[in-house]
Amino acid sequence: MKCNTGTEAAVGLFSKRRKKSKLSSNPLLRWLGPSATTAGLLYAVYLFFVGGLDFSSLDQWLPGSQSVTFEGEAITLTDEPRPNDRIRIATFNIENFGETKAANRNDSDTGIDVMGKIAEIVNKFDIVAIQELRGKDGVALQQLVSLLNASGGQYAAVISELIGNEHRKESYAFVWDRTRIEIIPDSSYVVQDPDGRMYREPMVASFQSRVDPADNKAPFRFTLINVHTSPDLVDPEERDSEINVLADVFHRVREYEFRVRGEDDFILLGDLNVPPEKLGLLSEIPGVVSVAGDIKTNVSRKKTHDHILIDSNVTEEYAQRMGVVDFIDDLGLSLEQANRISDHLPLFAEFARYEIAPPPPPLTAQQPGQARTRVLQ
C-alpha cells in the first residue's frame, strides 16, 4: 500500500475548520471537514481569508408560507433498470452500520447475506446519502464500495469524520456511481455548530450528472444536505429544536452555495425523525416540500421519518417519481431478515439527468482554505 500526501481546497460553513483527510482508490473514500462562511458577497470574500461565521448567531428566520402538498407517483424497483434520462437519488439510514454489520455475509440467525443485500440495494441508485456509519476509519463504507466494485460497479464515496458526543458518534457519507454521477471538486464539508444547536451537524456536498457532450445539454447539478437528527430534539413547537434549526441551515447553505458556485438546486435528505406534518419551519420555507408524502419509510411500514426535501419552485428537474425499497415485499425477506439490514427503508426520488432551468454559471471561484489530505492506493 502506497501513501501519498497532497493538498485540496476545502469549504466549511458557519465556523472553524475541522481536520480533514482523504482515503481513496479513485477515490473510494474521503474524510472531510470545513472552514467557512456566508452572509453577503463582500463579507463572504472577507471570510475566505479570516475564518468563519458563528452558527449560534444565526437566530433570525426568513418569513415562510403555508405548507405545500406533494403529489407524485410512487414506484417500486424490483428489477427496473435505472433510466438513461433520469438519475435516482436516495437516502438510507443503515442502522448501526459498522464493521460487524459490514462483515456479516451469512447471518447466524437468519442465513441472510446482510452486506450483500445492502450492496444490492445501493446498486439500485445513482447516489445515496447514508446515515449511521459507525466506527473509525470508514471500514464499513470502504467494504461496501469494494463489494459494489467487485461486482463490476464503478462506485466512489465521501465520508465525514465522526460527529456527535462521547455517548454516540456517527459519520455521514455519500456513495455514487461514477459512470453516471461526479462530485464537484472541493464541495464537501460539515456544517459547523460550536454552540451545539444540533446533535449531529449536517454534511454537504455538490454533484452533477455525467452526460455525453454529444447530447449538447447541461448536466443536472445539485447540492445535497445529509441530515440525521436526534429523535429527542425535534419537537417543532420548540423554536430551537433541531427540525427548526434545519430551516436556518437550508437558508444559509443555499445562500452560500449560490454566491460561491451559482448553485440553485438544493436537496435536504436524511432521517429527520419526524412525520411530514411536523417538519416545523422547514415546511414554512416557500416551495419546500418532502417528496416522501405520507409513504412509510421504516421496515414495519408505520412511520415516515425519512425525507427528501426540495424547493419545488426551483428544482424543476424533479421527475415526480419516488418510492422506497421494501425489504419484505421487494426483496422477499422475512421481517427478521429485513431488520438485520436496517430499521429504515431507503427512500428515493428521480430527477432529470439534464438541467431544465438555465444552467448555473461556470465554476470559476477560488475555494478558500487548504486542507491536508491522505491518499491510499
Side-chain angles (χ1 to χ4, degrees):
M1 183 175 290
K2 179 182 177 183
C3 180
N4 298 321
T5 305
T7 60
E8 177 179 297
V11 183
L13 197 65
F14 303 145
S15 190
K16 59 188 177 182
R17 181 191 309 274
R18 284 187 177 177
K19 183 180 179 182
K20 172 180 172 183
S21 60
K22 183 170 88 171
L23 293 93
S24 166
S25 72
N26 201 5
L28 288 181
L29 301 176
R30 277 192 275 182
W31 287 94
L32 30 116
S35 74
T37 68
T38 183
L41 183 57
L42 294 177
Y43 190 44
V45 173
Y46 167 73
L47 287 175
F48 281 2
F49 297 97
V50 301
L53 176 63
D54 186 355
F55 188 51
S56 63
S57 69
L58 304 179
D59 57 0
Q60 300 298 317
W61 307 93
L62 298 183
S65 65
Q66 294 184 350
S67 299
V68 181
T69 302
F70 167 78
E71 293 183 0
E73 176 191 5
I75 59 175
T76 58
L77 296 180
T78 34
D79 295 310
E80 183 180 331
R82 284 178 274 171
N84 288 329
D85 61 342
R86 297 189 299 275
I87 60 172
R88 288 182 184 153
I89 299 174
T91 176
F92 192 9
N93 180 330
I94 307 178
E95 182 184 14
N96 292 322
F97 188 33
E99 191 170 355
T100 299
K101 178 170 282 190
N104 192 352
R105 302 303 307 275
N106 185 12
D107 185 71
S108 58
D109 295 326
T110 66
I112 184 178
D113 178 357
V114 174
M115 190 60 173
K117 286 296 181 184
I118 292 173
E120 178 184 338
I121 293 164
V122 171
N123 193 47
K124 295 178 181 293
F125 307 110
D126 295 303
I127 183 168
V128 183
I130 295 177
Q131 304 90 43
E132 278 206 41
L133 272 163
R134 305 296 304 279
K136 297 180 179 180
D137 301 324
V139 171
L141 186 65
Q142 190 155 11
Q143 289 178 351
L144 172 61
V145 173
S146 295
L147 184 58
L148 287 163
N149 292 343
S151 302
Q154 296 184 46
Y155 281 82
V158 60
I159 182 173
S160 76
E161 62 187 64
L162 289 168
I163 303 170
N165 61 26
E166 65 276 9
H167 301 295
R168 184 177 178 89
K169 291 190 175 183
E170 303 172 4
S171 294
Y172 294 106
F174 294 106
V175 180
W176 66 94
D177 182 345
R178 291 185 290 112
T179 67
R180 290 169 58 92
I181 299 289
E182 58 184 341
I183 192 169
I184 302 301
D186 311 321
S187 70
S188 53
Y189 54 89
V190 175
V191 171
Q192 289 300 289
D193 179 18
D195 291 328
R197 295 179 69 193
M198 297 196 70
Y199 190 86
R200 283 176 289 268
E201 308 93 311
M203 175 184 175
V204 181
S206 296
F207 301 87
Q208 68 181 22
S209 61
R210 286 189 180 274
V211 301
D212 188 334
D215 292 340
N216 199 28
K217 295 180 180 179
F220 175 41
R221 204 173 83 201
F222 52 92
T223 294
L224 299 182
I225 307 171
N226 193 353
V227 178
H228 185 199
T229 64
S230 169
D232 299 325
L233 302 173
V234 288
D235 183 355
E237 300 301 318
E238 297 291 334
R239 188 174 183 82
D240 292 329
S241 75
E242 289 193 344
I243 202 66
N244 288 330
V245 170
L246 281 176
D248 207 356
V249 171
F250 188 86
H251 286 310
R252 304 306 175 172
V253 170
R254 179 160 60 178
E255 179 184 87
Y256 173 77
E257 293 291 338
F258 181 78
R259 291 186 184 279
V260 173
R261 306 178 207 280
E263 186 54 70
D264 62 348
D265 290 303
F266 298 87
I267 303 170
L268 188 151
L269 70 176
D271 176 9
L272 303 188
N273 279 302
V274 293
E277 67 272 15
K278 293 189 175 182
L279 288 170
L281 293 178
L282 275 171
S283 64
E284 295 184 13
I285 301 174
V288 169
V289 293
S290 171
V291 305
D294 61 356
I295 192 170
K296 307 307 178 186
T297 64
N298 63 339
V299 168
S300 63
R301 303 308 298 270
K302 295 179 180 179
K303 298 178 180 179
T304 306
H305 281 180
D306 303 274
H307 296 272
I308 297 175
L309 280 79
I310 64 170
D311 184 340
S312 60
N313 292 330
V314 177
T315 304
E316 299 178 45
E317 291 79 6
Y318 176 53
Q320 305 295 324
R321 304 184 85 220
M322 55 78 184
V324 294
V325 175
D326 188 319
F327 303 153
I328 297 175
D329 290 344
D330 296 352
L331 301 185
L333 304 180
S334 68
L335 178 60
E336 185 180 11
Q337 289 174 325
N339 278 311
R340 289 294 190 274
I341 298 172
S342 179
D343 55 347
H344 289 255
L345 304 176
L347 171 71
F348 68 89
E350 293 189 354
F351 296 80
R353 192 166 186 170
Y354 308 99
E355 287 276 357
I356 293 177
L363 300 179
T364 58
Q366 175 69 34
Q367 299 302 319
Q370 293 288 322
R372 303 300 297 178
T373 62
R374 186 165 60 97
V375 179
L376 302 184
Q377 296 180 335

